[in-house]
Amino acid sequence: MQITDELIDYLCVLSRLKLTGEEREGRKKDLGDILQYMEKLNELDTDGVREMTHPFEEFNYFREDMITNGDDRENLMTIAPERKGDYFKVKKAVD
Amino acid sequence: MANELRTKSAFEIGRLIRDKQISSPEVTRVFLDAAKADFSKAVGADDKINAFTDLTEEYAMHRAEEIQKQIETGENLSPFSGVPVAIKDCICTTNGTTTASSKILEGYVSPYDAEVVRRLNAAGTVMIGKVNMDEFAMGGSTETSHYGITRNPWDLSRVPGGSSGGSAASVAAGFAAFALGSDTGGSIRQPCSFNNLTGVKPTYGSVSRYGLMAYGSSLDQIGPLCHDVRDAAAVLSIISGPDKRDSTNIMDESFELCSVIHHFENVADKPLKGLKIGLPTNYLEMDGLAHDVRETIIQARNKYKELGAEIIDFELPLIDYAVPTYLIVSAAEASSNLSRYDGVKYGYRADGDDLLDVYYNTRSEGFGTEVKRRIMLGSFVLSSGYFDAYYKKALKVRALIKQAFDEALSKVDVILSPVCPTEAYEIGGQIKDPIAMYLGDIYTTSVNLTGLPAVSLPAGFSNNNLPIGMQLIGKTLSEEKLLGVAAEFQKVTDYHKKRAF
């Protein structure tokens, strides 16, 4: 599959990444190689096979809907890059 | 004396402490001093193993004093009381940093302990530091770490494997008695093969992932890297078990592995009589499988025959499809899991014009090349238009691979295979060719895709005198049998007793 500049731009948006010129050329080449390698799966007939998302799909481990952790606010706020009181501080998100 | 102590197994060290031959602080000091001597060398120095991302000296010494008091009063008599352990840098600990060897988490200290860490603490072990890895566990050589490469203690010009390369190197170099790692596509088993260690990728859902930084959530499991099977069984019995905070946990109680731990005391002629070991002959015909690795596996096969096992040669299909399937599934899950690193609540934050720009800049500056590559791959295979052709296709092939293993394991008890096609390779040898690097996982990824348990254990040495491991794959939750089969091998061989120093 041909990796175009448009596709790289699109993947950058989805991934929230900006690439340098050198990175961009690198990804165009290696993503192309890797996707080609992945296409090996097309050799297999998988019609009617159910997708397996998880090793044990039939099992789900439920627990009671109970609060077990205490008030962790300060503990979590101290590792924030920037805070204002009890809030995470970020750049303007809406005009 | 100090060096001799560092060659001992975790079990032996625990016994010395319990028998009051040596104190927990004395043991901790010996391991810490060795680790510190290496840690303090300049980053990039040719003779620096660079196993650690953080040494927790003060915490370790304090903890060792505490444990010693408990031992004196008889409060804590766990077999692993006072035993020094190294923890992979993607497993959260409230002491020391947890960075997943990424710049995006530089300096991050977790506000909580992972469940496995809580369990180890309850068993009395002493954490001496956090160990290096491929960034976010993406790699097989520990060369993608933001904190410098880790060198293989058996040959400093070679990689220690990965992604749990720091875990393996710290044990092989005698900086810790054992280590915890995580395994998404072979990240415990391959470094064990490269460092002459015994490691386990447990059945998916048997060890809690609470506090493990998520990479491929349907593949990831935490497990031990140890000097021998007895240690690995003991650690696994400590860290496995139920945890309601991991919705994929399948355990009612911890693994009961006493029979493995005491295996070494039983002597029997043909102890494996009645056991069926399957050897996928097509695995040994793969391009790229080194001659001496192949020979080592054949010798292991013969050894198992001597021990009474029935060897069944068979074809295990679909091996050529395991790595591409794994790449698609793991990249898809990674791109989703790593979306949380945005510079808002914790970790590295770059500046930007507005919030969206902060996200972009934080991630572009904070992630390394391999991580960006996999996030983009994951975004691609999940994007509309390509989802069916890549992601859905991979999930279907995953089901076929599971069927193939289930069928094989309905006819044999254990599957014997190589761990990695080669011995530890030279630093820089594969890092520039992603596909060559991914192919190093050819024998290990199926185990993660299927959720099955597997052990990697020392099976011999290459022509370059480097360790070569073998892999034993078992049925779901058959850890006791699997480790017992590994134990029988270690009873009659001494590869696992050789040390790098």
Side-chain angles (χ1 to χ4, degrees), chain A residues 82-93:
Chain A
E82 208 178 344
R83 67 187 281 189
K84 190 173 183 182
D86 279 343
Y87 296 93
F88 296 108
K89 193 175 170 191
V90 293
K91 291 261 175 172
K92 189 172 67 173

Side-chain angles (χ1 to χ4, degrees), chain B residues 10 13 35 66 109 124-125 140 144 204 218 225 329 350 366 415 432 437 494:
Chain B
I13 292 169
E66 250 177 32
V109 178
T125 62
T144 71
Y204 184 82
S218 78
L225 295 92
V329 172
I415 295 168
K432 294 209 169 64
M437 184 72 105
D494 59 2

Side-chain angles (χ1 to χ4, degrees), chain A residues 1 15 18 23 30 37 39 41 43-44 46 51-54 56 61 63 80-82 89 91, chain B residues 204 244 247-248 321 344-345 349 351-352 357 361 363-364 372-373 379 390 393 395-396 398 449:
Chain A
M1 175 169 175
S15 310
K18 288 178 186 171
E23 281 180 316
D30 57 40
Y37 174 57
E39 279 156 22
L41 299 188
E43 295 168 8
L44 295 174
T46 53
E51 295 106 38
M52 174 180 168
T53 56
H54 199 273
F56 308 111
Y61 195 70
R63 61 183 156 84
E82 208 178 344
K89 193 175 170 191
K91 291 261 175 172
Chain B
Y204 184 82
K244 296 205 165 183
S247 66
T248 59
Y321 304 95
V344 172
K345 299 191 203 70
R349 177 190 288 187
D351 202 9
D357 206 37
N361 291 343
R363 293 166 63 80
S364 302
K372 288 181 193 171
R373 185 184 284 141
S379 300
Y390 290 87
K393 181 79 183 179
L395 294 183
K396 289 181 176 198
R398 185 179 188 179
L449 289 167

